Structure formats: C-alpha cells, structure tokens
Amino acid sequence: MGAGELRPGQRVGIVGLGGLGMTGARIAMLNGGQVYAAESRREAWETAKALGVIEVVDDVRALAPYNPI
C-alpha cells in the first residue's frame, strides 16, 4: 500500500470541519472510509452528518479510547 491509500472500511479521523476538513471527510467517504470528526462548532455537525460522517464530537479526545498507563 502506498502513501495516502485508503482501504474500504478503514476509519478516518478529521479534526476540524471547515472547508478543508469537510473536503477531506468527503474524499475519505467516497473512497470507502468510515469518517469520525472533532469540531467545536456545533453548527457544522448537521452538515457533516448529512454528508456521511458517522460521528462528530466536540473534543478530539472522545475519538480515542482511554488507555491509562
């Protein structure tokens, strides 16, 4: 697999759903990625979900499982 290749079903995390984030999310979804995003502006959430983002959270830490050391 080369750099930047996305396999169908692979999880993708997007931080920020401005113009670039929405574009990146859409490209990932069109290539079969399962997209999760972190965005503090709640007004962007509905649009992102309508485009196919699986889950949007307001804190990026919510996208990663908690693994205490």
Side-chain angles (χ1 to χ4, degrees):
M1 184 160 107
E5 291 184 26
L6 177 67
R7 290 174 283 181
Q10 189 173 5
R11 292 181 185 175
V12 177
I14 301 288
V15 178
L17 290 170
L20 291 176
M22 287 284 196
T23 300
R26 189 69 181 138
I27 290 169
M29 288 180 283
L30 289 172
N31 286 288
Q34 297 178 350
V35 179
Y36 297 82
E39 173 58 64
S40 60
R41 295 177 307 112
R42 291 188 181 260
E43 59 270 16
W45 291 25
E46 187 176 328
T47 301
K49 289 181 179 180
L51 290 174
V53 174
I54 295 170
E55 181 179 4
V56 183
V57 297
D58 61 1
D59 186 335
V60 71
R61 293 175 289 188
L63 295 177
Y66 179 68
N67 293 313
I69 297 175

